Amino acid sequence: DAMVIQNPRYQVTQFGKPVTLSCSQTLNHNVMYWYQQKSSQAPKLLFHYYDKDFNNEADTPDNFQSRRPNTSFCFLDIRSPGLGDAAMYLCATSLRVFGRNNEQFFGPGTRLTVL
Amino acid sequence: AQSVSQHNHHVILSEAASLELGCNYSYGGTVNLFWYVQYPGQHLQLLLKYFSGDPLVKGIKGFEAEFIKSKFSFNLRKPSVQWSDTAEYFCAVPSGGSYIPTFGRGTSLIVHP
């Protein structure tokens, strides 16, 4: 089945220690997104890629970076995690950003714990 | 910035009860309105979406939603819920300057058998 895969499902890191979260997709979608979701809150868009074009949300902290080396993979790098960065990180894909085929397909998420 | 309000954060129903979950947004929302669902232990998945045309949209598992432009609302309904509808439900509406949807904080629905 075509899907969005996130690794690892659970990640524990130390305060200030860089961490990378991984997302891959077999849907061949053009767009990949990273969301941060804290408990009882809405998923918050951090950034997205349309093909190789990177789009950062205005309020995404500089501590968060992303890479998309090819269509299938996208990475979220947190350079110096703070306690406030503990959250569920969701990866999603869509064929397009707008139009009929822009519904998002989500991965299972990575739960990040910062000690 | 766009804000999406889901007024009911927690809803508890018995099987066969009718369901309506509210979703209001601050502006825009003329195309591509979404409801996503997250069943326990599973990832977010699309329940239904409005793109254009008939404002009453049918989704999977008997769900429907009505887009009322004048009220900035896109409420989710189901006439008779089942235990298997227990899940978290998220409304998502694009911001005015972007087609990417902004999510509401979600409504947790528990259906008792």
Side-chain angles (χ1 to χ4, degrees):
Chain A
D1 286 342
M3 54 183 16
V4 181
I5 302 162
Q6 290 189 245
N7 286 306
R9 295 290 305 276
Y10 300 90
Q11 177 73 58
V12 180
T13 190
Q14 292 180 330
F15 183 94
K17 185 175 180 181
V19 66
T20 295
L21 308 183
S22 170
C23 177
S24 64
Q25 55 133 339
T26 60
L27 296 160
N28 203 31
H29 281 172
N30 298 310
V31 194
M32 295 187 77
Y33 310 79
W34 279 104
Y35 287 87
Q36 180 193 64
Q37 186 180 21
K38 297 185 177 180
S39 181
S40 300
Q41 296 185 22
K44 178 181 179 298
L45 182 66
L46 296 173
F47 22 61
H48 75 278
Y49 276 93
Y50 192 108
D51 290 331
K52 295 182 180 180
D53 292 333
F54 176 70
N55 298 271
N56 198 34
E57 293 301 296
D59 56 354
T60 298
D62 293 339
N63 198 26
F64 292 85
Q65 304 285 320
S66 185
R67 297 169 283 135
R68 189 179 185 185
N70 54 51
T71 300
S72 301
F73 285 86
C74 195
F75 300 98
L76 170 61
D77 301 308
I78 308 177
R79 293 192 296 187
S80 181
L83 298 178
D85 296 328
M88 178 73 85
Y89 289 88
L90 301 173
C91 176
T93 72
S94 65
L95 185 60
R96 307 187 198 290
V97 173
F98 59 90
R100 287 192 179 276
N101 297 315
N102 71 335
E103 62 264 33
Q104 292 169 308
F105 293 77
F106 284 84
T110 294
R111 172 77 64 188
L112 177 68
T113 300
V114 181
L115 301 177
Chain B
Q2 175 71 279
S3 69
V4 180
S5 298
Q6 293 184 241
H7 315 294
N8 317 101
H9 299 315
H10 300 280
V11 175
I12 300 174
L13 296 173
S14 298
E15 276 195 319
S18 64
L19 171 72
E20 180 159 3
L21 301 182
C23 174
N24 287 90
Y25 50 91
S26 53
Y27 68 92
T30 54
V31 293
N32 296 134
L33 308 176
F34 304 89
W35 276 96
Y36 286 87
V37 61
Q38 186 169 23
Y39 297 104
Q42 298 187 27
H43 52 266
L44 274 164
Q45 57 186 286
L46 182 69
L47 190 61
L48 52 78
K49 73 172 185 181
Y50 171 81
F51 176 70
S52 65
D54 189 343
L56 186 62
V57 181
K58 304 288 187 183
I60 60 171
K61 303 187 179 185
F63 284 89
E64 63 180 30
E66 186 173 13
F67 168 50
I68 304 179
K69 186 176 178 180
S70 61
K71 295 185 178 180
F72 295 89
S73 72
F74 190 53
N75 291 355
L76 182 70
R77 299 194 293 249
K78 186 171 184 179
S80 176
V81 294
Q82 300 173 310
W83 174 77
S84 58
D85 294 325
T86 293
E88 190 94 14
Y89 292 83
F90 293 88
C91 179
V93 180
S95 297
S98 169
Y99 291 100
I100 298 175
T102 298
F103 280 78
R105 62 175 286 183
T107 297
S108 173
L109 171 66
I110 296 175
V111 180
H112 289 299

